[in-house]
Amino acid sequence: MGMAKNEAAVKNDLFGFGEKNVAFAKYFIGDSYLNGLVAPDDNIDVNVANVNFEPGCRNDWHIHHDGFQILLVTAGEGWYQEEGKPARKLHPGDVVAIHEGVKHWHGATKDSCFSHIAITKGTSEWLEKVDDEYYDQLGK
Amino acid sequence: MGMAKNEAAVKNDLFGFGEKNVAFAKYFIGDSYLNGLVAPDDNIDVNVANVNFEPGCRNDWHIHHDGFQILLVTAGEGWYQEEGKPARKLHPGDVVAIHEGVKHWHGATKDSCFSHIAITKGTSEWLEKVDDEYYDQLGK
């Protein structure tokens, strides 16, 4: 079953499935996969990566410091939520600009794979998890 | 015919067709369309836009200063060339990282629409055109 889900995501997504996201797994519930596209260097001060979430996978609440993050949704259905605002359902072609200091989380819906490119500058502060009780009441 | 081309590009591209690229038309040969996705502000120091080139459309040789440009190819077939190197054929899912000071051009192939997201920081210095004699010998 896991394999079938992965293959569906690979076929859906232009920018590659990548490796299992082991480095950040502790900041996620569920499995995600990360395909690095551009690494920062002396000139380019952003990281660009394609992030693939299996159904039900989401990251913890977090804040970007000394930078920002931009999400470009390429496949599936997902959620984006800022603290104090309702969760926003995301679809391919949607774009989210996240300013520094804004507490938020993002991830797949319960029944869909979800892929977005993330353009990230600066560092991330990881906070509490999006627990099942909260996530489940968002619906599908 | 123009309408049919535009419609094909709209259907192909996740991130929108946008308006005719009038502001930069003098730096292009052929018609392009620009859909702004994220405008820079006090925090976000990059511009993100989807650029759609009609078949045969390409921009002039140019250099990015005080920044960089990253291209994420979303539809069609195109060319990317840096000075002194052969032109590279681009396909959906391809990524190009262009460092500051590197003279280059990009655009569609002769027979295909072409769309890429451009993540741009800094200013552009526009140089000579990619003339028909040179462009035509690249083939399709």
Side-chain angles (χ1 to χ4, degrees):
Chain A
M1 284 298 287
M3 199 60 185
K5 284 177 189 171
N6 297 0
E7 284 177 339
V10 171
K11 283 175 193 162
N12 270 333
D13 203 74
L14 272 176
F15 291 98
F17 199 65
E19 301 294 319
K20 198 159 178 173
N21 189 1
V22 176
F24 292 85
K26 63 184 167 186
Y27 305 123
F28 283 64
I29 288 176
D31 287 336
S32 65
Y33 294 77
L34 192 65
N35 194 34
L37 300 175
V38 180
D41 59 25
D42 287 349
N43 172 214
I44 296 178
D45 60 5
V46 295
N47 180 284
V48 183
N50 196 30
V51 188
N52 303 281
F53 302 77
E54 294 224 343
C57 176
R58 66 275 189 185
N59 54 31
D60 302 345
W61 287 95
H62 59 288
I63 298 173
H64 298 286
H65 294 287
D66 303 317
F68 57 84
Q69 189 172 60
I70 295 165
L71 308 180
L72 305 169
V73 180
T74 55
E77 273 197 341
W79 295 110
Y80 170 73
Q81 186 172 26
E82 296 184 356
E83 190 176 39
K85 297 186 183 175
R88 172 183 166 197
K89 179 83 71 89
L90 297 178
H91 301 97
D94 285 344
V95 175
V96 181
I98 308 164
H99 288 80
E100 67 183 352
V102 175
K103 182 175 169 180
H104 68 283
W105 67 273
H106 33 117
T109 60
K110 210 166 175 170
D111 291 344
S112 176
C113 287
F114 178 58
S115 298
H116 64 57
I117 290 171
I119 304 161
T120 312
K121 180 178 172 177
T123 57
S124 300
E125 178 189 4
W126 293 97
L127 303 163
E128 68 272 22
K129 297 213 161 278
V130 178
D131 63 25
D132 286 346
E133 188 181 11
Y134 182 80
Y135 179 81
D136 288 348
Q137 57 82 32
L138 291 172
K140 291 181 179 178
Chain B
M1 283 297 287
M3 200 59 185
K5 283 178 189 171
N6 296 0
E7 285 177 338
V10 171
K11 283 175 194 161
N12 268 334
D13 202 72
L14 272 177
F15 291 97
F17 199 65
E19 300 294 317
K20 197 158 177 173
N21 189 1
V22 176
F24 292 85
K26 62 183 166 186
Y27 305 124
F28 283 64
I29 289 176
D31 286 337
S32 65
Y33 294 77
L34 192 64
N35 193 33
L37 301 175
V38 180
D41 60 25
D42 286 350
N43 172 216
I44 295 177
D45 61 3
V46 296
N47 179 284
V48 183
N50 197 29
V51 189
N52 303 280
F53 302 77
E54 293 223 344
C57 175
R58 67 275 188 184
N59 54 29
D60 302 345
W61 287 95
H62 60 289
I63 297 173
H64 298 286
H65 293 287
D66 302 318
F68 56 84
Q69 190 172 59
I70 295 165
L71 308 179
L72 305 169
V73 179
T74 54
E77 272 197 343
W79 295 111
Y80 171 73
Q81 185 171 27
E82 297 184 354
E83 190 176 37
K85 297 185 183 176
R88 172 183 165 197
K89 179 83 69 92
L90 296 178
H91 302 96
D94 284 344
V95 176
V96 182
I98 307 164
H99 288 80
E100 67 184 351
V102 175
K103 183 174 168 181
H104 68 283
W105 67 273
H106 32 118
T109 60
K110 208 166 177 171
D111 290 343
S112 177
C113 287
F114 178 58
S115 298
H116 64 58
I117 290 170
I119 305 161
T120 311
K121 180 177 173 178
T123 58
S124 300
E125 178 188 5
W126 293 97
L127 303 163
E128 68 272 22
K129 296 208 161 281
V130 178
D131 64 25
D132 287 345
E133 188 182 11
Y134 182 80
Y135 179 80
D136 288 347
Q137 55 82 35
L138 291 173
K140 292 181 178 179

